[in-house]
């Protein structure tokens, strides 16, 4: 017992020592600190013969690196740099020719004819022809390939669905090689954004010879991983990373400066940051959120790229009282988006006032530029929110039924939901009940319309507003808000058929205005990707679909 | 030396004095309490439990905060803060590079936002009651200094007065949430143990007393129930009853009684061979009377001990379920959900995890100590 008492005393003393707040540690000067902590060695040696090598850290391992199989976004780093599709994106996010030098679209918008470059080669030196593209499309549409992105073809290409289901033949499939340099793709109906679809890696070519020889194992070793992009595989180190070297057989190899590109997996982002700050690696993909503020402030090389996606909350527009636009307006006005972004999620993001994210450009200009805010602002407008709710028949929240706010199990989403619930409670004086579920179960009940307000988010599969517009189209399977407006539906149908990009963009904005002025959802913020890259690396770019391209990379020390 | 003769006189013989038990006469409960209080750890455990009950039931009356009040401007505030004295006011640097101003009493007054940033000097300039101070982030520890001279202001550690245990990621007072969390955890523990007592005693008693084929079937059912993981039950029950406290209590009630049933059955199996049961049967007592009046009271020692040992395990299970995210409806707090919420900020604000985890530890200790003491006090074999 005595021991216990003395132990307790010791603990108390420690506590009281710590509590002696007044004992202040004296001043000092920051120049001493700067001397003690040597900053990352900023070498000033001239550029002359610097090795063109780059190491980039990835935080997740892909489930596979076969472009015809995977839809895993972690595979993108290898796929987008080892392969070259028909078209690709430049640094400004616009579609530019790649393997296809040019393409023609028939007058009715259903036949796309791609003219391939002369002398395209695989990384092993054998010629690459239009037949290789046809083979790759057929491979994606063969069920035994287990392609995860097959619907990106079967929904659009004529005969693709039948081919996939085994009721159609290769002759009936709308993908044909007219000659070695000409590929013709026939669509089910005019699809204005088909060219954006073609940039996805499921449309990349894969070599028949290596797949016939090695089967599914062709992606397992560097020797059999035949590709056609700016880089080719040098080493595959399972669980460690990939080493890519320049592909001399790439059509634009003269413009590729980088000789060696290493992707290294470091799963713990704090460890990766240590490697970055000590100069071991040249870039890291995911930044620990605790260090984010400091890295931005100290110009450590944070790159922020808007992601073509929106975080928003669905409102069940088919259910009373949420079928009333005024109620939805009140909910929208009651949210303090700035606080949520800065204090709850703690990221660098733009507040959203519409579900349609910026990131798609026509003629070098983002189509959402200059768009209004639909009466919303960064912070909550409590008075306007209460006025809207009163106008809807619930003055000061009286008589308003308890709002059911549901979300899927996720730490960040949970924080946001709790903050939003409190905002609804205090700003609108209504009761809020929160419930959560596993994603699969949650999404099932959302699809069934069994919710009132729920957490949602959308990331575009391809860079075109058409990947967003169906979200509020009557009868679409992704329209989980059950919003229905014939004006909007008409506009979306027009966008779908419009082959002129500028005219389509105009219609898109009109459609966006219809939904946003009806407050069909609660947009919170637009997603953004961020990564760290040393300032002596130039030419690396990420587009808003999240794809990252290293082909223009240069090391300029 | 003189001896008084009457001291040597023989005592008067009576049957009463011959039969008298000279040791102090105590009831069963009194006897148990006597032996219980001789064990310091057991008493310490009991005192801790009482203190936790007071903390969770009476405590909320003394705090101005509720478990759901958010202050999004003051998130992740630690209880002990390193503050810089810049003359006119005192400021604290948050991990996300914001300044929070503290008044003379140690209350947080407001969050400051930067006036401008000087990237070349690695400084952010804040306006602090009319005085411009610079936050220098060039080294791994951020400091507050004067912009031109670079002199670091004196710093010291101060306790946060208005949030004694700090705030969580949504700016909610941790002390207030701790009170409600402890209340929920203790309630889960007591209710589920009560349910377990009722089901377990009846089930085990019947199985043990009837024996034979009935016993075999009943115990196989128990085996099956105990082999299916609890997490699975909880998820299934949550599907039906929805998220919330009731689901957790039902889940724990459904599963935890199997241990109790096994203990009771074992006791009854042994006791029913004894003579007093035979005697009761001879005078025509019904099986029900024999079970309830004779067997169960005799097995009470092991039952109570098992029950006390179940309490910490139920609390821990609730914390574990909360930690998995399949527990209470937010914003309601339990100790488990508090730990779970703190997980994401572990590197920058470890206090958010440490405090509720410490309380779970202490509650578990307390109940284990009490359970230990009960076992010793109730075990007749240890009686001296």
């Amino acid at each position: 017992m005595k021991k216990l008492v003395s132990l307790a005393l010791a603990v108390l003393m420690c506590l009281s020592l710590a509590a002696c707040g007044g004992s202040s540690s004296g001043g000092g000067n920051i120049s001493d600190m700067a001397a003690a902590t040597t900053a990352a060695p900023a070498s000033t040696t001239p550029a002359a013969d610097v090795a063109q090598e780059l190491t980039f850290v990835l935080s997740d391992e892909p489930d596979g690196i076969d472009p015809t199989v995977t839809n895993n976004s972690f595979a993108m780093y290898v796929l987008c740099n080892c392969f070259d599709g028909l078209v690709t994106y430049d640094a400004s996010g616009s579609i530019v020719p790649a393997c296809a030098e040019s393409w023609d679209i028939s007058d009715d918008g259903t036949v796309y004819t791609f003219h391939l470059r002369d002398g395209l080669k695989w990384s092993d030196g054998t010629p690459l022809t239009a037949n290789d593209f046809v083979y790759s499309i057929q491979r994606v549409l063969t069920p035994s390939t287990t392609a995860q992105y097959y619907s990106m073809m079967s929904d659009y290409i004529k005969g693709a669905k039948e081919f996939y289901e085994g009721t159609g033949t290769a002759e009936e499939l709308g993908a044909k090689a007219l000659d070695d340099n000409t590929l013709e793709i026939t669509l089910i109906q005019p699809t204005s954004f088909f060219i954006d679809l073609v940039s996805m890696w499921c449309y990349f070519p894969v070599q028949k010879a290596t797949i016939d020889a090695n089967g599914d194992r062709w992606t397992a070793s560097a020797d059999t991983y035949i590709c056609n992009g700016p880089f080719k595989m040098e080493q595959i180190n399972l669980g460690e990373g990939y080493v890519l070297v320049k592909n001399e057989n790439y059509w634009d190899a003269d413009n590729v400066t980088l000789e060696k590109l290493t992707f290294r997996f470091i799963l713990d982002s704090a460890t990766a940051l240590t490697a970055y700050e000590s100069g071991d690696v040249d870039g890291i993909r995911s930044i620990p959120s605790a260090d984010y503020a400091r890295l931005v402030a100290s110009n450590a090389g944070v790159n922020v790229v808007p992601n073509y996606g929106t975080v928003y909350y669905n409102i069940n527009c088919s259910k009373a009282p949420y079928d009333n636009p005024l109620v939805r307006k009140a909910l929208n006005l009651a949210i303090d988006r700035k606080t949520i972004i800065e204090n709850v999620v703690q990221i660098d993001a733009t507040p959203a006032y519409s579900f349609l994210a910026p990131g798609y450009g026509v003629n070098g200009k983002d189509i959402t530029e200059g768009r209004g805010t639909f009466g919303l602002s960064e912070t909550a407008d409590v008075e306007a929110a209460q006025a809207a709710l009163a106008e809807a028949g619930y003055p000061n929240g009286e008589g308003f039924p308890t709002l059911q706010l549901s979300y899927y199990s996720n730490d960040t989403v949970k924080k946001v939901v709790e903050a939003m619930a409190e905002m609804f409670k205090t700003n609108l004086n209504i009761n809020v009940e929160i419930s959560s579920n596993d994603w699969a179960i949650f999404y099932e009940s959302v699809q069934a319309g069994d919710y009132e307000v729920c957490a949602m988010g959308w990331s575009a599969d391809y860079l075109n507003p058409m990947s967003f517009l169906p979200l509020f189209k009557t009868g679409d399977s992704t329209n989980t808000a059950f919003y229905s407006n014939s004006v909007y539906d008409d506009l979306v149908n027009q966008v779908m058929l419009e082959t002129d990009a500028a005219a389509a963009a105009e219609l898109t904005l009109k459609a966006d205005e219809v939904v946003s002025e009806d407050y069909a959802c609660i947009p919170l913020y637009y997603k953004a990707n961020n990564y760290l890259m040393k300032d002596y690396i130039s030419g690396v770019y990420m587009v808003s679909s999240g794809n990252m391209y290293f082909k223009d990379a240069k090391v300029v020390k | 030396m003189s001896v008084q003769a009457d001291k040597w006189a023989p005592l008067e013989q009576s049957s009463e004095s011959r039969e008298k038990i000279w040791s102090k006469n105590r009831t069963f409960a009194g006897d148990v309490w006597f032996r219980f209080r001789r064990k310091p750890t057991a008493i310490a455990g009991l005192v801790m439990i009482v203190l936790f009950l007071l903390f969770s039931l009476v405590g909320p009356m003394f705090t101005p905060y509720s478990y759901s009040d958010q202050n999004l401007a003051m998130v992740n505030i630690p209880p002990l803060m390193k503050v810089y004295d810049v003359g006119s006011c005192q400021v604290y640097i948050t991990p996300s590079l914001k300044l929070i101003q503290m008044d003379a009493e140690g209350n947080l007054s407001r969050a400051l936002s930067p006036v401008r940033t000087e990237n070349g000097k690695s400084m952010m300039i804040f306006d602090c009651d009319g005085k411009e101070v610079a936050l220098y982030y060039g080294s791994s520890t951020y400091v507050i200094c004067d912009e031109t001279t670079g002199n670091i202001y004196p710093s010291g550690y101060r306790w946060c007065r208005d949030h004694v245990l700090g705030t969580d990621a949504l700016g909610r007072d941790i002390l207030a949430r701790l009170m409600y969390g402890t209340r929920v955890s203790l309630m889960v523990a007591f209710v589920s143990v009560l349910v377990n007592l009722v089901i377990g005693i009846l089930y085990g008693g019947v199985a043990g007393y009837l024996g034979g084929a009935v016993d075999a079937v009943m115990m196989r059912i128990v085996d099956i129930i105990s082999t299916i993981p609890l997490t699975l039950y909880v998820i299934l029950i949550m599907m039906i009853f929805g998220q919330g406290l009731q689901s957790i209590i039902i889940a724990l009630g459904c599963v935890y009684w199997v241990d109790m049933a096994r203990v009771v059955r074992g006791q009854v199996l042994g006791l029913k061979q004894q003579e007093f049961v035979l005697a009761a049967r001879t005078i025509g007592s019904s099986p029900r009377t024999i079970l309830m009046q004779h067997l169960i009271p005799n097995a009470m020692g092991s039952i109570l001990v098992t029950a006390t040992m179940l309490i910490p395990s139920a609390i821990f299970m609730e914390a574990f379920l909360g930690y998995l995210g399949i527990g209470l409806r937010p914003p309601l707090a339990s100790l488990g959900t508090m730990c779970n919420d703190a997980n994401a900020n572990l590197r920058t604000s470890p206090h958010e995890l440490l405090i509720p985890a410490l309380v779970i530890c202490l509650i578990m200790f307390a109940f284990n100590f009490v359970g230990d003491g009960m076992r010793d006090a109730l075990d007749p074999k240890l009686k001296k």
Side-chain angles (χ1 to χ4, degrees):
Chain A
M1 205 59 190
K2 256 184 191 160
K3 265 184 197 163
L4 270 176
V5 171
S6 55
L7 193 74
L9 274 176
V11 171
L12 272 176
M13 274 171 72
C14 288
L15 282 172
S16 55
L17 273 178
C20 291
S23 63
S24 57
S25 67
N29 194 292
I30 54 166
S31 51
D32 310 337
M33 300 182 71
T37 53
T38 39
S43 72
T44 46
T45 43
D49 54 342
V50 62
Q52 290 296 327
E53 291 177 0
L54 195 161
T55 305
F56 191 71
V57 174
L58 306 180
S59 51
D60 290 286
E61 250 184 279
D63 63 353
I65 49 169
D66 184 338
T68 51
V69 174
T70 186
N71 70 353
N72 189 310
S73 61
F74 311 129
M76 169 271 289
Y77 308 93
V78 169
L79 298 182
C80 288
N81 294 294
C82 280
F83 287 90
D84 203 29
L86 290 164
V87 296
T88 187
Y89 290 103
D90 66 4
S92 76
S94 309
I95 289 274
V96 289
C99 283
E101 208 167 18
S102 63
W103 56 92
D104 307 319
I105 306 169
S106 67
D107 290 340
D108 64 352
T110 57
V111 183
Y112 280 66
T113 314
F114 293 92
H115 304 288
L116 306 188
R117 288 170 201 280
D118 283 331
L120 287 177
K121 279 184 188 149
W122 290 104
S123 57
D124 61 356
T126 54
L128 189 162
T129 67
N131 287 308
D132 289 305
F133 281 96
V134 175
Y135 166 75
S136 306
I137 290 174
Q138 287 177 0
R139 179 171 154 81
V140 170
L141 291 170
T142 306
S144 61
T145 313
T146 62
Q148 290 156 349
Y149 260 149
Y150 78 90
S151 65
M152 290 296 156
M153 291 186 181
S154 64
D155 289 355
Y156 305 98
I157 299 176
K158 197 176 166 190
K161 200 172 187 122
E162 291 76 9
F163 187 86
Y164 184 79
E165 284 163 358
T167 55
T169 61
E171 277 72 47
E172 288 160 15
L173 180 65
K176 290 191 177 62
L178 300 184
D179 58 52
D180 276 0
N181 278 342
T182 316
L183 174 71
E184 186 191 85
I185 296 181
T186 313
L187 305 182
I188 302 168
Q189 58 173 2
T191 311
S192 61
F193 52 94
F194 183 68
I195 204 71
D196 296 294
L197 279 176
V198 172
S199 74
M200 293 174 70
W201 62 70
C202 57
Y203 283 87
F204 286 175
V206 289
Q207 199 194 38
K208 187 170 188 288
T210 185
I211 294 172
D212 284 349
N214 304 297
D216 287 340
R217 306 271 311 147
W218 75 280
T219 58
S221 98
D223 299 333
T224 55
Y225 195 71
I226 307 297
C227 52
N228 73 327
F231 301 95
K232 64 181 177 187
M233 194 61 84
E234 168 86 0
Q235 267 177 50
I236 297 180
N237 302 324
L238 218 61
E240 241 177 75
Y242 302 102
V243 181
L244 277 55
V245 292
K246 184 178 170 181
N247 176 11
E248 295 300 340
N249 290 315
Y250 178 53
W251 63 268
D252 198 19
D254 293 347
N255 290 324
V256 178
T257 318
L258 202 63
E259 294 290 339
K260 189 174 168 194
L261 172 61
T262 309
F263 290 121
R264 195 194 291 174
F265 301 127
I266 300 181
L267 303 189
D268 179 35
S269 56
T271 316
L273 182 63
T274 315
Y276 178 81
E277 292 194 314
S278 67
D280 284 349
V281 297
D282 304 301
I284 61 174
R285 175 62 188 86
S286 58
I287 306 174
S289 59
D291 297 284
Y292 186 77
R294 172 175 66 90
L295 292 168
V296 172
S298 60
N299 281 338
V302 177
N303 288 271
V304 182
V305 183
N307 182 296
Y308 205 37
T310 313
V311 173
Y312 62 92
Y313 277 67
N314 257 353
I315 308 175
N316 193 338
C317 301
S318 66
K319 195 171 181 178
Y322 306 99
D323 51 356
N324 185 346
L326 282 168
V327 170
R328 303 198 295 255
K329 185 181 179 186
L331 294 180
N332 258 297
L333 285 165
I335 297 296
D336 186 340
R337 291 170 172 78
K338 192 174 175 223
T339 306
I340 287 184
I341 293 168
E342 280 182 10
N343 294 331
V344 182
V345 198
Q346 297 192 349
I347 50 162
D348 228 1
T350 328
Y353 310 112
S354 154
F355 72 106
L356 180 67
Y360 173 73
V362 173
N363 301 330
K365 187 170 164 258
D366 197 296
I367 64 164
T368 59
E369 233 175 81
R371 181 174 55 168
T373 63
F374 310 105
L376 304 175
S377 64
E378 272 191 342
T379 51
D381 189 343
V382 181
E383 276 173 27
Q386 284 185 343
L389 200 61
E391 204 183 325
Y394 307 99
N396 199 21
E398 276 163 33
F400 197 84
T402 300
L403 188 150
Q404 301 288 336
L405 186 56
S406 43
Y407 70 101
Y408 53 93
S409 311
N410 175 301
D411 284 346
T412 314
V413 176
K414 184 180 178 208
K415 276 203 283 184
V416 175
V417 162
E418 286 189 56
M420 277 177 64
E422 195 68 13
M423 288 173 187
F424 287 145
K425 271 185 205 166
T426 48
N427 294 349
L428 295 177
N429 198 24
I430 59 175
N431 276 327
V432 183
E433 211 168 81
I434 302 175
S435 65
S436 81
N437 245 324
D438 195 53
W439 168 261
I441 301 158
F442 164 81
Y443 196 60
E444 204 172 285
S445 61
V446 170
Q447 279 179 316
D450 186 16
Y451 74 95
E452 289 178 356
V453 177
C454 73
M456 251 310 131
W458 190 258
S459 281
D461 283 321
Y462 49 91
L463 266 185
N464 189 290
M466 264 314 287
S467 55
F468 282 94
L469 295 180
L471 289 175
F472 294 97
K473 192 175 171 227
T474 311
D476 195 279
S477 66
T478 57
N479 181 357
T480 47
F482 302 97
Y483 177 79
S484 180
N485 184 332
S486 57
V487 181
Y488 179 78
D489 296 347
D490 285 347
L491 283 166
V492 175
N493 286 334
Q494 284 176 46
V495 176
M496 185 111 174
L497 300 175
E498 180 60 64
T499 46
D500 179 52
E506 207 169 297
L507 289 167
T508 302
L509 281 182
K510 257 190 213 165
D512 171 32
E513 206 176 299
V514 171
V515 167
S516 297
E517 286 188 342
D518 247 0
Y519 304 101
C521 64
I522 308 173
L524 283 190
Y525 56 88
Y526 299 120
K527 294 183 179 178
N529 277 321
N530 45 45
Y531 62 92
L532 276 173
M533 189 67 81
K534 294 275 188 196
D535 53 3
Y536 53 77
I537 307 281
S538 73
V540 177
Y541 62 90
M542 185 186 242
V543 295
S544 50
S545 63
N547 288 2
M548 207 168 171
Y549 297 92
F550 286 85
K551 66 173 180 243
D552 299 337
K554 282 192 187 86
V555 185
V556 281
K557 272 190 181 160
Chain B
M1 182 177 164
S2 65
V3 175
Q4 285 173 297
D6 59 333
K7 290 277 184 200
W8 292 93
L11 266 177
E12 199 185 329
Q13 288 277 353
S14 75
S15 57
E16 193 192 331
S17 65
R18 217 182 295 139
E19 294 289 312
K20 184 170 165 73
I21 298 168
W22 287 94
S23 72
K24 205 171 162 189
N25 193 9
R26 280 189 294 250
T27 60
F28 175 70
D31 190 42
V32 168
W33 170 239
F34 172 73
R35 271 177 290 153
F36 183 84
R37 74 189 152 106
R38 296 271 296 267
K39 215 171 146 82
T41 50
I43 289 295
L46 196 67
V47 170
M48 273 159 76
I49 293 173
V50 171
L51 287 181
F52 275 119
L53 279 173
L54 284 177
F55 174 70
S56 63
L57 297 174
V58 186
M61 294 173 196
F62 294 97
T63 169
Y65 304 102
S66 102
Y67 61 91
S68 61
D69 286 348
Q70 297 177 3
N71 182 356
L72 292 174
M74 308 275 179
V75 299
N76 297 326
I77 302 287
L80 184 64
M81 301 190 287
K82 188 181 187 189
V83 292
Y84 287 85
D85 193 353
V86 299
S88 56
C89 59
Q90 292 187 314
V91 289
Y92 161 73
I93 313 172
T94 69
S96 55
L97 284 180
K98 279 184 194 138
L99 285 194
I100 289 179
Q101 195 180 327
M102 201 185 219
D103 63 18
E105 284 88 47
N107 296 321
L108 303 170
S109 52
R110 65 197 177 97
L112 306 171
S113 40
V115 187
R116 62 178 196 278
T117 46
E118 300 270 347
N119 278 330
K121 294 189 204 163
S122 308
M123 281 177 183
M124 272 165 146
I125 315 297
F126 290 82
D127 178 36
C128 185
D129 281 351
K131 185 176 178 181
E132 285 206 340
V133 295
L135 165 60
Y136 177 71
Y137 50 77
S139 68
S140 55
T141 45
Y142 314 136
V143 292
I144 299 290
C145 62
D146 189 85
E147 195 196 340
T148 44
T149 61
N151 287 326
I152 301 169
Y153 287 107
S155 64
Y157 286 93
R158 287 192 64 182
W159 293 98
C160 179
R161 281 280 300 279
D162 42 2
H163 297 286
V164 176
L165 294 180
T167 64
D168 70 358
L170 288 169
R172 297 176 291 205
D173 185 60
I174 289 185
L175 181 63
R177 284 179 72 74
L178 207 60
M179 289 168 181
Y180 286 94
T182 310
R183 182 191 286 186
V184 167
S185 289
L186 288 177
M187 193 170 90
V188 167
F190 284 127
V191 174
S192 56
V193 163
L194 207 68
V195 174
N196 292 334
L197 270 180
V198 174
I199 303 179
I201 288 174
L202 286 181
Y203 196 94
V206 169
Y209 185 72
L210 295 180
V214 180
D215 178 42
V217 171
M218 285 176 86
M219 290 328 278
R220 291 303 79 71
I221 294 174
V222 163
D223 287 344
I224 292 169
I225 291 174
S226 64
T227 46
I228 300 174
L230 177 62
T231 335
L232 193 66
Y233 286 109
V234 177
I235 294 171
L236 289 176
I237 288 168
M238 215 152 276
M239 288 288 86
I240 302 166
F241 294 100
Q243 206 181 2
L245 205 53
Q246 76 279 8
S247 299
I248 293 178
I249 290 175
I250 291 171
L252 292 180
C254 282
V255 181
Y256 269 34
W257 60 266
V258 294
D259 289 336
M260 181 64 79
R262 283 207 179 112
V263 168
V264 175
R265 170 184 171 266
Q267 291 285 320
V268 170
L269 270 185
L271 288 170
K272 76 171 179 183
Q273 309 292 340
Q274 293 190 8
E275 287 78 5
F276 69 91
V277 180
L278 193 64
R281 213 178 282 158
T282 328
I283 59 168
S285 301
S286 68
R288 184 179 157 167
T289 317
I290 294 173
L291 193 60
M292 301 313 277
Q293 306 276 324
H294 300 293
L295 292 176
I296 300 294
N298 268 293
M300 217 49 186
S302 337
I303 292 172
L304 277 181
V305 171
T306 316
T308 8
M309 294 298 193
L310 272 179
I311 290 179
S313 111
I315 289 180
F316 193 71
M317 201 61 212
E318 190 280 324
F320 170 69
L321 292 174
Y323 199 78
L324 287 183
I326 41 176
L328 299 172
R329 254 171 218 274
L332 204 63
S334 81
L335 296 174
T337 53
M338 285 179 75
C339 288
N340 186 25
D341 291 349
N343 207 16
N345 305 322
L346 186 56
R347 293 174 71 97
T348 48
S349 321
H351 71 277
E352 290 172 26
L353 180 61
L354 191 70
I355 292 167
L358 195 70
V359 173
I360 295 180
C361 276
L362 289 178
I363 292 180
M364 305 255 299
F365 264 127
F367 277 106
N368 272 315
F369 284 155
V370 170
D372 241 18
M374 291 266 272
R375 193 192 57 210
D376 292 354
L378 284 167
D379 194 344
K381 290 193 199 82
L382 290 177
K383 193 172 178 179
K384 281 181 210 123

